[in-house]
Amino acid sequence: QSAGKYLRADSLNKSIKGTRVFNEIVDPKLLQKDIKEIADQLAEDVRNNILKAKRFDNRGRLKALKRSTIKQKGNARILINTGQLLNGVEVKKQGQTFVVKMTDKLYKVRRKAKSNRKKKSVGKSTIAISEIAGYLQNGTDRMPARPFFGTTKKRMKELVNAVVRQRIKQTR
């Protein structure tokens, strides 16, 4: 289900896809719509993991921040600082499928302005949000991994089954 930096939403059994039976029973336009629906739900799952500081594999919560990090940030929210990570989850069409990925847009650096206590964008960043997500996901030598991005086979199966049930209900 996870293919490195993104999640593929087309987990249909490759052995039946492309066969005559498959082609006769599946309308390609409906299939695209269903795959997009699965991708949208996967993206929503990733956003929920960010908001709730949950591991994607349902093995509990993410490791808490160090005291020094909390002091620097001013709060203990694990994956939330500016909201750019949360807003950086996107669904993109890639060939015949859709993928869920983190945006390649540059992270906007935000610091407290000297004149007042409000945070505002200052300077330019040379690091993409997707790269920051990679550091969070996999950890570094100074930071533990906080795997928020991904899905399980069980969850993918639930999503596919829900879409299939919905499609059957619509054709009756």
Side-chain angles (χ1 to χ4, degrees):
Q1 303 346 300
S2 177
K5 296 182 180 184
Y6 57 87
L7 297 170
R8 292 179 59 96
D10 65 344
S11 81
L12 292 171
N13 185 341
K14 304 267 190 265
S15 64
I16 66 161
K17 194 172 182 182
T19 65
R20 192 177 64 131
V21 172
F22 180 85
N23 291 335
E24 287 177 13
I25 63 170
V26 176
D27 177 355
K29 289 180 183 175
L30 291 177
L31 181 61
Q32 283 289 301
K33 184 177 176 184
D34 294 344
I35 292 172
K36 172 81 164 77
E37 191 174 323
I38 291 168
D40 288 339
Q41 187 56 57
L42 287 170
E44 191 59 33
D45 288 353
V46 171
R47 287 185 198 99
N48 283 330
N49 291 344
I50 293 169
L51 284 171
K52 296 176 183 175
K54 283 179 31 183
R55 292 175 58 106
F56 79 88
D57 56 10
N58 297 319
R59 293 185 183 162
R61 294 184 50 78
L62 299 173
K63 188 163 175 61
L65 298 175
K66 291 181 182 177
R67 283 191 180 125
S68 59
T69 304
I70 294 170
K71 185 177 179 183
Q72 178 187 355
K73 280 180 65 171
N75 66 60
R77 296 194 70 185
I78 297 171
L79 296 175
I80 304 288
N81 191 22
T82 63
Q84 294 176 74
L85 184 70
L86 182 66
N87 295 326
V89 180
E90 54 186 30
V91 175
K92 293 284 185 181
K93 186 165 171 97
Q94 192 175 71
Q96 295 298 311
T97 191
F98 290 87
V99 296
V100 179
K101 64 185 271 312
M102 298 304 299
T103 185
D104 291 322
K105 292 178 184 174
L106 293 181
Y107 182 82
K108 293 178 185 156
V109 179
R110 294 174 59 98
R111 293 197 174 84
K112 288 182 181 175
K114 291 179 182 178
S115 61
N116 60 27
R117 302 235 178 236
K118 288 187 175 182
K119 287 185 178 183
K120 65 179 189 178
S121 295
V122 294
K124 291 187 177 183
S125 176
T126 58
I127 188 166
I129 293 170
S130 58
E131 191 174 344
I132 292 171
Y135 295 139
L136 292 167
Q137 179 82 5
N138 302 312
T140 67
D141 58 343
R142 298 179 56 184
M143 179 179 72
R146 294 186 172 95
F148 66 94
F149 188 89
T151 193
T152 61
K153 286 182 181 180
K154 180 182 176 187
R155 178 64 177 147
M156 185 60 96
K157 195 173 187 177
E158 288 171 359
L159 292 173
V160 170
N161 287 340
V163 167
V164 169
R165 279 193 302 276
Q166 185 66 26
R167 180 65 53 218
I168 290 169
K169 212 185 268 187
Q170 289 175 355
T171 58
R172 288 184 179 173

